Amino acid sequence: MERQDGLRGAQSHDRAVPAAVAESFRQGWADTNLRLPPVSGAAYAAKRRAAVSARFPGERVVVPAGGLKVRSNDFDYHFRPHSAFLHLTAEQGTQAVPDSVLVFEPTGTGHAVTLFTRPRSPRGGGPHGAELYSDRRHGEFWVGRRRTLAETADALGIEAAARDDLERALHGNVPTRVVRGEDAFIDALVPPDPGRDAELCTLLSELRLVKDEWELEQLRAAVDHTVAGFHDVAGELRHATNLERGERWIEGTFNRRARLEGYGLGFETIAAAGSHACVLHWVRNDGPVRDGDLLLLDAGVEADSCYTGDVTRTLPVSGRFTEAQRRVYDLVFAAQSAGIAALRPGARFGDFHNAAMRVIAEGLDDWGLRPGGDAAHDRALYRRYTVCGTGHMLGLDCHDCASARSEAYLEGVLEPGHVLTVEPGLYFQPDDLTIPEELRGIGVRIEDDFVITADGAHCLSSGLPRSADEVEAWTAASR
Ligand code: GLY
Ligand code: MN
């Protein structure tokens, strides 16, 4: 039998609710009204929905928020709605309801858009009468009050209906596009149309390339909170050196800021001390933070609207770089500066990467580093030490707009309203025999977030020191 809370196969030791208690739950409640302010981005989201509608006339479009995922037995991971759903609703992380689905139903003139969702747990019985007190995933006494359908419609400016009505709404022989892999019920109900579905994902990604004013406000907030988290960490460096797993202390310090100011993290915090900095996505964070080492912190606060920052700083834990650390830092700094100087509308997306990598390749040549060969002109070999690209679009996803066509992104041209990171790095693995010993185990990345403007680019993360001297002064003072 399926459990009330939908957790098939999960075990718990909740006591059965006697009939008299169930009856008592059905009465004696005052009417309440959730007076939530309307969602601030609702009008912007309406324009995005209009763009989807205009692109797919006569077709049904289905964009699920996704649901809860079991973490362990009857506990779930923190819920984070799918980014396309967030983009088209401007829903806030904390208010978002798992299993919600946005449906564009074609009409003669365009589309009627309905948000199918779970309404507030009913009181007074009915088919979902026990949800209130016995459903540990969705019941109000377990997870808190959701909006009623009317409250949802008011907050988001979208017609709202119960998810129970979804099956009926999706019937009929209407060409349908679905964001797949988010809602197993819909995936089973609506036969896939791979071509149509992929086109939908491409459009939804490309709609996110240019950020509107409201999105820029969200990103500014996310990056400001991220900058605050970095300052928190600088203030905890000394304490972290006293702990066996100082990286975890750094992670926790940043994560506290993320939950305090936003919905959470844009991605798992990378707190990498010593040679862990040579692992691009080091999230085990179980190492010590030692005086004399570098600490690479790559982290982002996700705002309540789920837009995220993504910033990296590499700090000398003692407050002073060694000579070798500074040499690497200065080269990465010069590469990042060259990348930043290449940001402007009309430039190709690849230009800032090429500008940064030219500096890296020439710097490595000057140091006599020619990995795996002796052709100094063969600059691609520098990739042994840089491993990945120099930046990416940033927005609701840290690596935003992932389904955009190559010609609109990687091969595309920068436009005002694009938001992206510039984050060159050098990673000298501790066991790399092609480099001098003093460089082994040094990893440096410097990452900032930029919005392309009418005549250049504006740095959103300029509240953090960037040059070696500034970073030394900041770290030393914070200690
Ligand atoms: N901040 C992680 C990344 O950009 O891959
Ligand atoms: Mn990044």
Side-chain angles (χ1 to χ4, degrees):
M1 198 179 83
E2 184 166 349
R3 295 162 49 121
Q4 166 79 24
D5 54 17
L7 285 162
R8 273 194 210 86
Q11 298 286 334
S12 61
H13 293 279
D14 291 341
R15 292 168 197 282
V17 177
V21 177
E23 178 55 31
S24 117
F25 273 124
R26 285 201 270 276
Q27 49 209 302
W29 308 112
D31 270 349
T32 62
N33 185 355
L34 248 199
R35 291 180 204 283
L36 294 171
V39 166
S40 65
Y44 289 90
K47 286 192 194 150
R48 301 175 204 138
R49 293 195 297 277
V52 173
S53 172
R55 173 68 189 275
F56 300 124
E59 301 184 31
R60 188 180 280 155
V61 174
V62 183
V63 183
L68 294 168
K69 291 187 179 60
V70 173
R71 180 185 180 280
S72 150
N73 189 36
D74 53 356
F75 281 90
D76 296 304
Y77 288 101
H78 175 74
F79 176 62
R80 202 280 189 178
H82 189 275
S83 294
F85 176 88
L86 290 167
H87 192 237
L88 296 175
T89 58
E91 181 61 290
Q92 302 282 293
T94 305
Q95 292 298 329
V97 176
D99 305 322
S100 295
V101 184
L102 198 60
V103 177
F104 294 67
E105 187 65 25
T107 62
T109 52
H111 289 83
V113 182
T114 305
L115 177 58
F116 290 86
T117 187
R118 291 176 191 279
R120 183 184 182 190
S121 297
R123 303 181 181 216
H128 291 292
E131 176 190 288
L132 179 70
Y133 53 86
S134 71
D135 186 332
R136 51 175 60 229
R137 281 187 132 173
H138 307 293
E140 186 167 322
F141 292 171
W142 286 90
V143 295
R145 183 182 181 320
R146 287 186 300 274
R147 295 177 297 218
T148 63
L149 294 179
E151 287 163 349
T152 297
D154 277 354
L156 299 177
I158 307 173
E159 197 63 39
R163 177 168 166 112
D164 283 356
D165 297 335
L166 188 58
E167 185 164 2
R168 200 154 28 86
L170 295 182
H171 80 290
N173 192 18
V174 183
T176 302
R177 299 176 188 264
V178 175
V179 173
R180 298 270 160 192
E182 292 301 317
D183 192 310
F185 175 78
I186 295 172
D187 285 349
L189 189 70
V190 183
D193 186 334
R196 273 204 165 83
D197 295 342
E199 248 177 29
L200 171 62
C201 282
T202 300
L203 173 76
L204 294 176
S205 254
E206 293 185 4
L207 274 183
R208 281 162 44 199
L209 280 165
V210 173
K211 272 67 180 176
D212 60 36
E213 267 314 309
W214 182 81
E215 292 182 287
L216 293 178
E217 202 181 298
Q218 305 313 307
L219 282 159
R220 276 192 288 271
V223 177
D224 285 351
H225 302 323
T226 300
V227 165
F230 275 72
H231 285 299
D232 293 344
V233 164
E236 292 292 320
L237 268 184
R238 185 195 285 280
H239 182 56
T241 61
N242 297 326
L243 305 168
E244 208 172 305
R245 298 204 291 183
E247 290 176 346
R248 291 280 167 92
W249 190 260
I250 299 297
E251 174 189 339
T253 300
F254 185 85
N255 294 8
R256 181 180 61 221
R257 176 65 61 173
R259 281 296 279 171
L260 179 70
E261 307 276 15
Y263 187 50
L265 299 168
F267 53 93
E268 290 298 303
T269 296
I270 297 163
S275 64
H276 289 160
C278 302
V279 180
L280 296 179
H281 286 176
W282 174 259
V283 294
R284 288 185 220 160
N285 301 346
D286 63 348
V289 174
R290 296 197 185 93
D291 274 328
D293 281 348
L294 296 177
L295 171 74
L296 185 157
L297 177 67
D298 180 345
V301 173
E302 182 178 77
D304 288 330
S305 55
C306 296
Y307 287 78
T308 189
D310 179 13
V311 171
T312 306
R313 284 293 181 272
T314 307
L315 313 175
V317 176
S318 69
R320 285 298 294 269
F321 289 105
T322 65
E323 187 279 325
Q325 290 167 348
R326 184 180 263 260
R327 189 146 48 97
V328 179
Y329 192 96
D330 283 344
L331 183 52
V332 175
F333 176 79
Q336 197 206 19
S337 302
I340 295 168
L343 296 177
R344 70 181 70 89
R348 305 202 71 77
F349 182 83
D351 287 352
F352 74 91
H353 169 77
N354 294 337
M357 290 303 105
R358 190 168 305 116
V359 172
I360 294 270
E362 284 169 7
L364 295 179
D365 275 355
D366 287 347
W367 297 356
L369 290 183
R370 289 159 199 175
D374 54 10
H377 63 277
D378 189 355
R379 291 186 169 155
L381 293 177
Y382 66 75
R383 279 198 66 165
R384 180 181 176 102
Y385 310 124
T386 60
V387 187
C388 65
T390 306
H392 52 84
M393 295 294 184
L394 180 70
L396 280 162
D397 291 325
C398 173
H399 295 175
D400 209 35
C401 311
S403 299
R405 289 161 305 146
S406 185
E407 57 264 41
Y409 186 158
L410 208 54
E411 311 296 330
V413 168
L414 296 180
E415 286 180 46
H418 282 172
V419 176
L420 71 167
T421 69
V422 180
E423 52 173 311
L426 276 170
Y427 311 98
F428 295 120
Q429 302 299 329
D431 56 348
D432 189 337
L433 300 179
T434 69
I435 50 177
E437 210 166 329
E438 75 262 21
L439 295 182
R440 292 181 200 158
I442 295 180
V444 172
R445 175 160 67 250
I446 314 172
E447 176 177 29
D448 287 281
D449 302 337
F450 296 87
V451 53
I452 303 297
T453 59
D455 54 3
H458 170 71
C459 181
L460 298 171
S461 43
S462 60
L464 287 176
R466 197 169 71 83
S467 72
D469 284 345
E470 289 167 351
V471 165
E472 273 190 345
W474 173 46
T475 346
S478 305
R479 287 173 58 103

PDB file of all heavy atoms in Angstrom, residues 267-268 270 280-281 298-300 309-312 388 391-392 398-399 421 423 445 447, ligand 1:
ATOM      1  N   PHE A 267      26.146  25.926  -5.260  1.00  0.00           N
ATOM      2  CA  PHE A 267      26.850  24.654  -5.498  1.00  0.00           C
ATOM      3  C   PHE A 267      27.601  24.347  -4.215  1.00  0.00           C
ATOM      4  O   PHE A 267      27.766  25.222  -3.356  1.00  0.00           O
ATOM      5  CB  PHE A 267      27.802  24.762  -6.707  1.00  0.00           C
ATOM      6  CG  PHE A 267      28.752  25.929  -6.612  1.00  0.00           C
ATOM      7  CD1 PHE A 267      30.016  25.779  -6.068  1.00  0.00           C
ATOM      8  CD2 PHE A 267      28.359  27.198  -7.022  1.00  0.00           C
ATOM      9  CE1 PHE A 267      30.880  26.864  -5.949  1.00  0.00           C
ATOM     10  CE2 PHE A 267      29.216  28.286  -6.917  1.00  0.00           C
ATOM     11  CZ  PHE A 267      30.476  28.120  -6.374  1.00  0.00           C
ATOM     12  N   GLU A 268      28.044  23.129  -4.079  1.00  0.00           N
ATOM     13  CA  GLU A 268      28.752  22.734  -2.862  1.00  0.00           C
ATOM     14  C   GLU A 268      30.026  23.572  -2.716  1.00  0.00           C
ATOM     15  O   GLU A 268      30.790  23.727  -3.686  1.00  0.00           O
ATOM     16  CB  GLU A 268      29.125  21.249  -2.913  1.00  0.00           C
ATOM     17  CG  GLU A 268      27.943  20.310  -2.791  1.00  0.00           C
ATOM     18  CD  GLU A 268      27.218  20.454  -1.461  1.00  0.00           C
ATOM     19  OE1 GLU A 268      27.852  20.293  -0.410  1.00  0.00           O
ATOM     20  OE2 GLU A 268      26.004  20.742  -1.488  1.00  0.00           O
ATOM     21  N   ILE A 270      33.624  24.779  -2.212  1.00  0.00           N
ATOM     22  CA  ILE A 270      34.945  24.191  -2.434  1.00  0.00           C
ATOM     23  C   ILE A 270      35.910  24.909  -1.487  1.00  0.00           C
ATOM     24  O   ILE A 270      36.193  26.097  -1.667  1.00  0.00           O
ATOM     25  CB  ILE A 270      35.365  24.388  -3.907  1.00  0.00           C
ATOM     26  CG1 ILE A 270      34.382  23.646  -4.830  1.00  0.00           C
ATOM     27  CG2 ILE A 270      36.810  23.947  -4.134  1.00  0.00           C
ATOM     28  CD1 ILE A 270      34.442  24.079  -6.297  1.00  0.00           C
ATOM     29  N   LEU A 280      39.872  20.570  -8.955  1.00  0.00           N
ATOM     30  CA  LEU A 280      39.018  21.701  -9.346  1.00  0.00           C
ATOM     31  C   LEU A 280      37.765  21.813  -8.475  1.00  0.00           C
ATOM     32  O   LEU A 280      37.381  22.902  -8.076  1.00  0.00           O
ATOM     33  CB  LEU A 280      38.614  21.573 -10.814  1.00  0.00           C
ATOM     34  CG  LEU A 280      39.773  21.653 -11.808  1.00  0.00           C
ATOM     35  CD1 LEU A 280      39.270  21.486 -13.224  1.00  0.00           C
ATOM     36  CD2 LEU A 280      40.539  22.948 -11.673  1.00  0.00           C
ATOM     37  N   HIS A 281      37.120  20.697  -8.239  1.00  0.00           N
ATOM     38  CA  HIS A 281      35.901  20.707  -7.421  1.00  0.00           C
ATOM     39  C   HIS A 281      36.140  19.879  -6.145  1.00  0.00           C
ATOM     40  O   HIS A 281      35.523  18.844  -5.934  1.00  0.00           O
ATOM     41  CB  HIS A 281      34.705  20.161  -8.212  1.00  0.00           C
ATOM     42  CG  HIS A 281      34.204  21.129  -9.256  1.00  0.00           C
ATOM     43  ND1 HIS A 281      33.187  20.821 -10.129  1.00  0.00           N
ATOM     44  CD2 HIS A 281      34.565  22.401  -9.551  1.00  0.00           C
ATOM     45  CE1 HIS A 281      32.947  21.867 -10.922  1.00  0.00           C
ATOM     46  NE2 HIS A 281      33.783  22.831 -10.588  1.00  0.00           N
ATOM     47  N   ASP A 298      36.080  28.502  -3.370  1.00  0.00           N
ATOM     48  CA  ASP A 298      35.221  28.747  -4.544  1.00  0.00           C
ATOM     49  C   ASP A 298      33.804  28.491  -4.054  1.00  0.00           C
ATOM     50  O   ASP A 298      33.451  27.358  -3.714  1.00  0.00           O
ATOM     51  CB  ASP A 298      35.622  27.778  -5.658  1.00  0.00           C
ATOM     52  CG  ASP A 298      34.788  27.944  -6.931  1.00  0.00           C
ATOM     53  OD1 ASP A 298      33.721  28.588  -6.889  1.00  0.00           O
ATOM     54  OD2 ASP A 298      35.195  27.391  -7.969  1.00  0.00           O
ATOM     55  N   ALA A 299      32.988  29.556  -3.989  1.00  0.00           N
ATOM     56  CA  ALA A 299      31.696  29.402  -3.319  1.00  0.00           C
ATOM     57  C   ALA A 299      30.699  30.424  -3.832  1.00  0.00           C
ATOM     58  O   ALA A 299      31.079  31.457  -4.393  1.00  0.00           O
ATOM     59  CB  ALA A 299      31.893  29.570  -1.809  1.00  0.00           C
ATOM     60  N   GLY A 300      29.422  30.127  -3.635  1.00  0.00           N
ATOM     61  CA  GLY A 300      28.379  31.049  -4.089  1.00  0.00           C
ATOM     62  C   GLY A 300      27.147  30.949  -3.224  1.00  0.00           C
ATOM     63  O   GLY A 300      26.665  29.846  -2.949  1.00  0.00           O
ATOM     64  N   GLY A 309      25.654  33.544  -6.848  1.00  0.00           N
ATOM     65  CA  GLY A 309      26.987  34.070  -7.099  1.00  0.00           C
ATOM     66  C   GLY A 309      27.949  32.908  -7.309  1.00  0.00           C
ATOM     67  O   GLY A 309      27.613  31.749  -7.027  1.00  0.00           O
ATOM     68  N   ASP A 310      29.139  33.193  -7.801  1.00  0.00           N
ATOM     69  CA  ASP A 310      30.175  32.164  -7.993  1.00  0.00           C
ATOM     70  C   ASP A 310      31.521  32.883  -8.017  1.00  0.00           C
ATOM     71  O   ASP A 310      31.890  33.476  -9.029  1.00  0.00           O
ATOM     72  CB  ASP A 310      29.932  31.417  -9.307  1.00  0.00           C
ATOM     73  CG  ASP A 310      30.999  30.362  -9.563  1.00  0.00           C
ATOM     74  OD1 ASP A 310      31.764  30.036  -8.629  1.00  0.00           O
ATOM     75  OD2 ASP A 310      31.067  29.856 -10.702  1.00  0.00           O
ATOM     76  N   VAL A 311      32.200  32.844  -6.877  1.00  0.00           N
ATOM     77  CA  VAL A 311      33.413  33.637  -6.710  1.00  0.00           C
ATOM     78  C   VAL A 311      34.518  32.719  -6.179  1.00  0.00           C
ATOM     79  O   VAL A 311      34.240  31.785  -5.421  1.00  0.00           O
ATOM     80  CB  VAL A 311      33.154  34.795  -5.711  1.00  0.00           C
ATOM     81  CG1 VAL A 311      34.439  35.512  -5.342  1.00  0.00           C
ATOM     82  CG2 VAL A 311      32.149  35.792  -6.303  1.00  0.00           C
ATOM     83  N   THR A 312      35.751  32.976  -6.594  1.00  0.00           N
ATOM     84  CA  THR A 312      36.888  32.244  -6.026  1.00  0.00           C
ATOM     85  C   THR A 312      37.964  33.235  -5.592  1.00  0.00           C
ATOM     86  O   THR A 312      38.277  34.176  -6.321  1.00  0.00           O
ATOM     87  CB  THR A 312      37.512  31.270  -7.051  1.00  0.00           C
ATOM     88  OG1 THR A 312      36.494  30.416  -7.567  1.00  0.00           O
ATOM     89  CG2 THR A 312      38.593  30.418  -6.399  1.00  0.00           C
ATOM     90  N   CYS A 388      40.704  23.403 -17.315  1.00  0.00           N
ATOM     91  CA  CYS A 388      39.330  23.695 -17.757  1.00  0.00           C
ATOM     92  C   CYS A 388      39.259  25.080 -18.398  1.00  0.00           C
ATOM     93  O   CYS A 388      40.255  25.786 -18.502  1.00  0.00           O
ATOM     94  CB  CYS A 388      38.369  23.606 -16.586  1.00  0.00           C
ATOM     95  SG  CYS A 388      38.677  24.856 -15.354  1.00  0.00           S
ATOM     96  N   GLY A 391      35.624  30.467 -17.951  1.00  0.00           N
ATOM     97  CA  GLY A 391      34.420  31.090 -17.398  1.00  0.00           C
ATOM     98  C   GLY A 391      33.161  30.548 -18.027  1.00  0.00           C
ATOM     99  O   GLY A 391      33.217  29.754 -18.976  1.00  0.00           O
ATOM    100  N   HIS A 392      32.042  30.991 -17.489  1.00  0.00           N
ATOM    101  CA  HIS A 392      30.744  30.455 -17.916  1.00  0.00           C
ATOM    102  C   HIS A 392      29.644  31.454 -17.597  1.00  0.00           C
ATOM    103  O   HIS A 392      29.833  32.340 -16.758  1.00  0.00           O
ATOM    104  CB  HIS A 392      30.474  29.129 -17.189  1.00  0.00           C
ATOM    105  CG  HIS A 392      30.628  29.231 -15.696  1.00  0.00           C
ATOM    106  ND1 HIS A 392      29.614  29.689 -14.868  1.00  0.00           N
ATOM    107  CD2 HIS A 392      31.680  28.989 -14.868  1.00  0.00           C
ATOM    108  CE1 HIS A 392      30.048  29.693 -13.608  1.00  0.00           C
ATOM    109  NE2 HIS A 392      31.314  29.286 -13.578  1.00  0.00           N
ATOM    110  N   CYS A 398      24.590  27.791 -11.585  1.00  0.00           N
ATOM    111  CA  CYS A 398      25.966  28.299 -11.577  1.00  0.00           C
ATOM    112  C   CYS A 398      26.524  28.224 -13.000  1.00  0.00           C
ATOM    113  O   CYS A 398      27.075  29.200 -13.497  1.00  0.00           O
ATOM    114  CB  CYS A 398      26.800  27.472 -10.600  1.00  0.00           C
ATOM    115  SG  CYS A 398      28.536  27.896 -10.676  1.00  0.00           S
ATOM    116  N   HIS A 399      26.402  27.100 -13.645  1.00  0.00           N
ATOM    117  CA  HIS A 399      26.758  26.976 -15.060  1.00  0.00           C
ATOM    118  C   HIS A 399      25.459  27.159 -15.832  1.00  0.00           C
ATOM    119  O   HIS A 399      24.773  26.187 -16.159  1.00  0.00           O
ATOM    120  CB  HIS A 399      27.420  25.630 -15.344  1.00  0.00           C
ATOM    121  CG  HIS A 399      28.738  25.470 -14.639  1.00  0.00           C
ATOM    122  ND1 HIS A 399      29.478  24.321 -14.644  1.00  0.00           N
ATOM    123  CD2 HIS A 399      29.466  26.353 -13.894  1.00  0.00           C
ATOM    124  CE1 HIS A 399      30.593  24.483 -13.943  1.00  0.00           C
ATOM    125  NE2 HIS A 399      30.596  25.702 -13.468  1.00  0.00           N
ATOM    126  N   THR A 421      31.259  34.516 -15.485  1.00  0.00           N
ATOM    127  CA  THR A 421      32.436  34.500 -14.612  1.00  0.00           C
ATOM    128  C   THR A 421      33.697  34.568 -15.466  1.00  0.00           C
ATOM    129  O   THR A 421      33.707  34.109 -16.610  1.00  0.00           O
ATOM    130  CB  THR A 421      32.516  33.210 -13.774  1.00  0.00           C
ATOM    131  OG1 THR A 421      32.815  32.100 -14.649  1.00  0.00           O
ATOM    132  CG2 THR A 421      31.214  32.929 -13.044  1.00  0.00           C
ATOM    133  N   GLU A 423      37.460  33.228 -14.646  1.00  0.00           N
ATOM    134  CA  GLU A 423      38.097  32.451 -13.581  1.00  0.00           C
ATOM    135  C   GLU A 423      39.259  31.584 -14.058  1.00  0.00           C
ATOM    136  O   GLU A 423      39.210  30.354 -13.958  1.00  0.00           O
ATOM    137  CB  GLU A 423      37.055  31.566 -12.896  1.00  0.00           C
ATOM    138  CG  GLU A 423      36.226  30.699 -13.842  1.00  0.00           C
ATOM    139  CD  GLU A 423      35.333  29.718 -13.093  1.00  0.00           C
ATOM    140  OE1 GLU A 423      35.846  29.021 -12.195  1.00  0.00           O
ATOM    141  OE2 GLU A 423      34.139  29.656 -13.398  1.00  0.00           O
ATOM    142  N   ARG A 445      43.209  29.891  -8.262  1.00  0.00           N
ATOM    143  CA  ARG A 445      42.132  30.330  -9.160  1.00  0.00           C
ATOM    144  C   ARG A 445      41.630  31.670  -8.619  1.00  0.00           C
ATOM    145  O   ARG A 445      41.547  31.850  -7.393  1.00  0.00           O
ATOM    146  CB  ARG A 445      40.998  29.292  -9.185  1.00  0.00           C
ATOM    147  CG  ARG A 445      39.785  29.727 -10.001  1.00  0.00           C
ATOM    148  CD  ARG A 445      38.901  28.543 -10.418  1.00  0.00           C
ATOM    149  NE  ARG A 445      38.214  27.847  -9.360  1.00  0.00           N
ATOM    150  CZ  ARG A 445      38.485  26.614  -8.921  1.00  0.00           C
ATOM    151  NH1 ARG A 445      39.479  25.927  -9.435  1.00  0.00           N
ATOM    152  NH2 ARG A 445      37.773  26.064  -7.947  1.00  0.00           N
ATOM    153  N   GLU A 447      38.356  34.212  -9.368  1.00  0.00           N
ATOM    154  CA  GLU A 447      37.088  34.213 -10.114  1.00  0.00           C
ATOM    155  C   GLU A 447      36.220  35.379  -9.681  1.00  0.00           C
ATOM    156  O   GLU A 447      35.975  35.571  -8.487  1.00  0.00           O
ATOM    157  CB  GLU A 447      36.334  32.902  -9.862  1.00  0.00           C
ATOM    158  CG  GLU A 447      34.959  32.853 -10.515  1.00  0.00           C
ATOM    159  CD  GLU A 447      34.261  31.507 -10.324  1.00  0.00           C
ATOM    160  OE1 GLU A 447      34.521  30.834  -9.309  1.00  0.00           O
ATOM    161  OE2 GLU A 447      33.458  31.140 -11.194  1.00  0.00           O
TER     162      GLU A 447
HETATM  163  N1  GLY B   1      32.333  27.355  -9.115  1.00  0.00           N
HETATM  164  C1  GLY B   1      32.461  26.103  -9.712  1.00  0.00           C
HETATM  165  C2  GLY B   1      32.617  26.153 -11.184  1.00  0.00           C
HETATM  166  O1  GLY B   1      32.453  27.168 -11.800  1.00  0.00           O
HETATM  167  O2  GLY B   1      32.869  25.099 -11.772  1.00  0.00           O
END
